Amino acid sequence: MPKLFHPYLLLFFFNTALAGEWSGFVSLESRYFYEDASSPLQTDANTSIAFLPEYRIEWDKGYQSLTFTPFVRLDSQDSERSHVDIRELVWIKAEKSWEMRVGISKVFWGVAESQHLVDIINQTDLVENFDREDKLGQPMLNVSLIKNWGIVDLFILPGFRERTFPGNSGRLRLPRVDSSQAVYESSSEEKHIDYAVRWSDTLGDWDIGLSHFYGTSRDPALSPGVDNAGKPVLIPRYDLINQTGVDIQATLESWLWKLEAIHRSGQGERYYAATAGLEYSFYGIFESNTDLGIVSEYLYDDRGETAPTPFQNDVLIGLRFALNDTQSSDALIGAIIDLDNDSMLYSVEASRRLGESWKLNLEIRTFQSVPVKDDYVSLDLAYYF
């Protein structure tokens, strides 16, 4: 028997697997679109299954750990939405004054509700949801230096991930994006090594983060072109950028004050963008256990109508409900209003636990005065283990 399959080695790996812990979920999602499709390839409904297990093991008295989180989505309609990704495969070594992460991982920066301008480490998994909350795993070396004046995070990011886009039969999509024709500013293309640094600290009631990123933009510029069959498509271009960002959140009794702002160069002209807002919470309304939060944000991009984002002069108004019951029921109802025209996005997100292991999620999106009408309602039933 080859040494690779020595029985003692197999026993070691078997015992290691048993020593770790498995968790995660499997879910069944059903979407119904109540507007006519813009293409005969699209349908009014689709169903998908998602599976996200997580394996975690710790040793060295908890100072070292390994986490493995794969993700699988199988969609009945859109072949591009059926995909597999490694969200995390990361080794962590922790000490009192520093921490190191090596592998594939996810990093989140930001405080705003409507969009996360400063969140730039991971690529958006756009086929999951157009709200940009879902991210692909990013290869990285991350060292965190823990000081009494804050935490400094240093990142080396090899291996760029292209953004995922819905396919011909997918809904909630732009005109078809042909990623096979993707263009890079760097001659190294997806092998370009990116770098990032962030300082963060809590100063009394204020949480502050300052960051800088240099590398391939996670937001591609989309230019018109044609595919091999001569049909019109959008071609993504990934430029090298410098982005400096700040995120601030102040917790002042029942108030939350939030700000995210960036300055970016390298992707056309230099520009600034910001999202600022507040949230006020009423606790135990009508002598119940329910908390009500009023959310308001302003979204600005100084490129104006030439900006590739729809959020260049918009306002978010929303209500957040937390019932504080045994089922952890909550809901967020809101609208984003474009101040330059009549377009609006209405959104409802709600969730409720069912028993100990099940969770039901509801999502409703309705668009007004936009070119593509892909209004939909989605139900997602997940089993957690």
Side-chain angles (χ1 to χ4, degrees):
M1 178 181 293
K3 292 184 178 180
L4 179 62
F5 298 101
H6 193 283
Y8 290 111
L9 186 61
L10 293 176
L11 182 62
F12 169 77
F13 283 113
F14 180 73
N15 289 335
T16 300
L18 289 179
E21 294 184 355
W22 285 95
S23 60
F25 69 84
V26 58
S27 68
L28 175 66
E29 177 194 74
S30 180
R31 285 181 175 179
Y32 174 72
F33 297 87
Y34 43 95
E35 292 284 345
D36 292 336
S38 58
S39 166
L41 297 175
Q42 298 172 319
T43 62
D44 292 336
N46 77 292
T47 302
S48 67
I49 298 173
F51 181 44
L52 188 144
E54 178 177 289
Y55 173 75
R56 178 178 173 83
I57 184 171
E58 296 182 352
W59 67 96
D60 190 17
K61 298 181 180 179
Y63 284 97
Q64 297 190 64
S65 66
L66 178 69
T67 301
F68 175 48
T69 311
F71 175 77
V72 179
R73 167 81 64 184
L74 299 176
D75 191 273
S76 64
Q77 182 64 24
D78 185 4
S79 60
E80 294 296 326
R81 195 165 185 245
S82 295
H83 67 299
V84 179
D85 183 46
I86 297 179
R87 298 305 203 213
E88 286 193 293
L89 178 55
V90 59
W91 166 72
I92 300 176
K93 169 66 174 177
E95 293 291 346
K96 292 182 179 180
S97 61
W98 60 272
E99 189 170 289
M100 178 183 292
R101 290 176 173 83
V102 181
I104 299 171
S105 191
K106 293 200 300 181
V107 174
F108 172 75
W109 299 342
V111 295
E113 183 68 46
S114 53
Q115 63 175 345
H116 303 298
L117 294 171
V118 300
D119 191 30
I120 196 171
I121 295 295
N122 292 83
Q123 178 60 274
T124 298
D125 192 356
L126 198 61
V127 296
E128 276 299 294
N129 198 310
F130 84 103
D131 63 8
R132 299 189 174 191
E133 296 290 338
D134 296 279
K135 302 292 182 176
L136 299 173
Q138 170 64 48
M140 68 176 64
L141 168 61
N142 167 217
V143 177
S144 299
L145 306 177
I146 305 168
K147 306 295 184 180
N148 55 14
W149 40 265
I151 298 174
V152 177
D153 278 297
L154 306 172
F155 294 88
I156 300 176
L157 307 167
F160 175 75
R161 305 290 308 278
E162 291 186 2
R163 177 164 294 184
T164 60
F165 291 98
N168 287 337
S169 57
R171 298 195 67 170
L172 274 82
R173 67 175 175 93
L174 299 164
R176 186 166 70 89
V177 177
D178 187 356
S179 294
S180 66
Q181 298 188 63
V183 178
Y184 291 84
E185 179 180 349
S186 170
S187 59
S188 299
E189 298 186 338
E190 71 275 8
K191 296 180 182 178
H192 184 272
I193 298 177
D194 304 334
Y195 303 92
V197 59
R198 183 173 189 262
W199 168 81
S200 60
D201 198 9
T202 299
L203 305 174
D205 297 325
W206 298 77
D207 296 313
I208 303 174
L210 295 173
S211 59
H212 187 80
F213 170 90
Y214 167 72
T216 304
S217 172
R218 275 53 179 158
D219 297 316
L222 300 175
S223 303
V226 295
D227 61 13
N228 294 332
K231 295 181 179 180
V233 294
L234 294 176
I235 298 174
R237 174 184 170 86
Y238 296 97
D239 296 296
L240 293 176
I241 64 167
N242 278 282
Q243 176 176 301
T244 302
V246 58
D247 55 280
I248 302 173
Q249 178 170 286
T251 306
L252 307 172
E253 296 182 347
S254 298
W255 291 91
L256 283 179
W257 296 84
K258 304 177 182 182
L259 170 68
E260 291 189 35
I262 62 169
H263 171 264
R264 180 181 291 187
S265 63
Q267 197 171 28
E269 296 183 1
R270 296 172 180 264
Y271 73 91
Y272 298 88
T275 300
L278 55 87
E279 180 172 349
Y280 185 83
S281 296
F282 298 91
Y283 299 102
I285 60 173
F286 306 120
E287 299 182 351
S288 69
N289 293 327
T290 301
D291 299 334
L292 169 64
I294 300 177
V295 183
S296 178
E297 292 181 353
Y298 175 61
L299 297 76
Y300 172 76
D301 190 308
D302 76 348
R303 293 171 293 179
E305 294 183 358
T306 63
T309 171
F311 306 130
Q312 82 286 351
N313 186 26
D314 300 70
V315 171
L316 163 71
I317 300 174
L319 298 175
R320 189 195 311 275
F321 295 90
L323 273 60
N324 297 313
D325 55 0
T326 56
Q327 291 79 34
S328 301
S329 306
D330 58 37
L332 176 63
I333 304 170
I336 298 180
I337 307 164
D338 192 316
L339 300 180
D340 293 327
N341 53 52
D342 295 330
S343 64
M344 298 180 67
L345 164 63
Y346 301 97
S347 175
V348 176
E349 298 177 3
S351 67
R352 181 181 177 88
R353 283 199 302 107
L354 305 175
E356 294 296 324
S357 303
W358 296 87
K359 187 176 183 180
L360 183 65
N361 299 288
L362 168 69
E363 185 174 278
I364 302 173
R365 311 282 194 194
T366 300
F367 305 87
Q368 175 181 302
S369 301
V370 296
V372 178
K373 292 285 285 183
D374 268 344
D375 302 351
Y376 73 93
V377 57
S378 171
L379 278 175
D380 181 278
L381 180 62
Y383 174 77
Y384 288 81
F385 54 89

